[in-house]
Amino acid sequence: MAAPRDAALRRLSLAVGRHLRRARLLIATAESCTGGLLAKCLTDVAGSSDYFERGWVTYSNAAKQADLGVAPGLIEWHGAVSEEVAIAMAKGALRRSGARVSIAVTGIAGPAGGTPDKPVGTVWIAWGLRRRGRIECYALRHRFRGGRDSVRRQAVAAALEGLPTQ
């Protein structure tokens, strides 16, 4: 898969923004490997303050624990690039914000850091929703190809595409 160009990311961000505004929902982001690119794409849209509440870049394991409340045992047992940690990041973003929707991204953008079980391009994305006092989350694993920038852009596109807009 080729890396989405800026125009494609902008179209996705506009569609997500329209949905969030129409539904009167606030979103929070929790990012690791994308380094704030998801928040940047969402806030590049004029009027995004109507729906963008806040974002975290929690690149280190310590930041995931301190800023989002990810349990150290989750990281030790499953690794930072895992379904469990992505979901914990999405839940932490909701618990520490006034948002009702969250997106969390954790992965290995490369060029180093991959392992046989988790090669470069492995990215977990989690989506969270606060509804009736409960937090519901789900996560998907992706394996993107290409260099660092390509992996990051593909991850942001997948994160935006995974958020229901209907």
Side-chain angles (χ1 to χ4, degrees):
M1 173 184 209
R5 299 195 187 282
D6 289 343
L9 291 176
R10 180 159 177 80
R11 280 192 300 276
L12 287 168
S13 298
L14 284 165
V16 166
R18 278 192 301 272
H19 167 70
L20 293 169
R21 184 179 289 116
R22 202 171 31 246
R24 296 188 173 145
L25 294 171
L26 293 176
I27 191 168
T29 60
E31 302 178 68
S32 185
C33 68
T34 49
L37 183 59
L38 175 58
K40 178 204 180 299
C41 288
L42 287 168
T43 59
D44 276 350
V45 177
S48 58
S49 59
D50 291 346
Y51 52 84
F52 188 86
E53 209 260 4
R54 70 180 77 189
W56 286 268
V57 176
T58 56
Y59 213 74
S60 71
N61 291 343
K64 288 173 183 67
Q65 294 167 29
D67 295 351
L68 297 171
V70 176
L74 278 182
I75 295 172
E76 290 168 17
W77 185 256
H78 300 285
V81 180
S82 64
E83 177 180 19
E84 293 81 4
V85 169
I87 286 173
M89 290 170 66
K91 286 181 178 179
L94 290 174
R95 289 183 178 129
R96 287 166 167 71
S97 73
R100 288 193 41 219
V101 176
S102 67
I103 303 175
V105 183
T106 183
I108 305 163
T115 66
D117 289 341
K118 297 177 185 177
V120 169
T122 302
V123 178
W124 276 97
I125 303 171
W127 296 267
L129 177 65
R130 184 192 329 259
R131 183 179 5 217
R132 296 181 191 99
R134 294 184 54 222
I135 294 176
E136 302 168 9
C137 292
Y138 67 98
L140 293 174
R141 179 183 179 190
H142 298 271
R143 294 274 299 276
F144 300 119
R145 294 180 185 209
R148 184 175 182 81
D149 187 60
S150 176
V151 168
R152 290 164 47 125
R153 288 177 181 279
Q154 289 174 79
V156 169
L160 293 169
E161 288 168 345
L163 191 68
T165 57
Q166 299 300 321

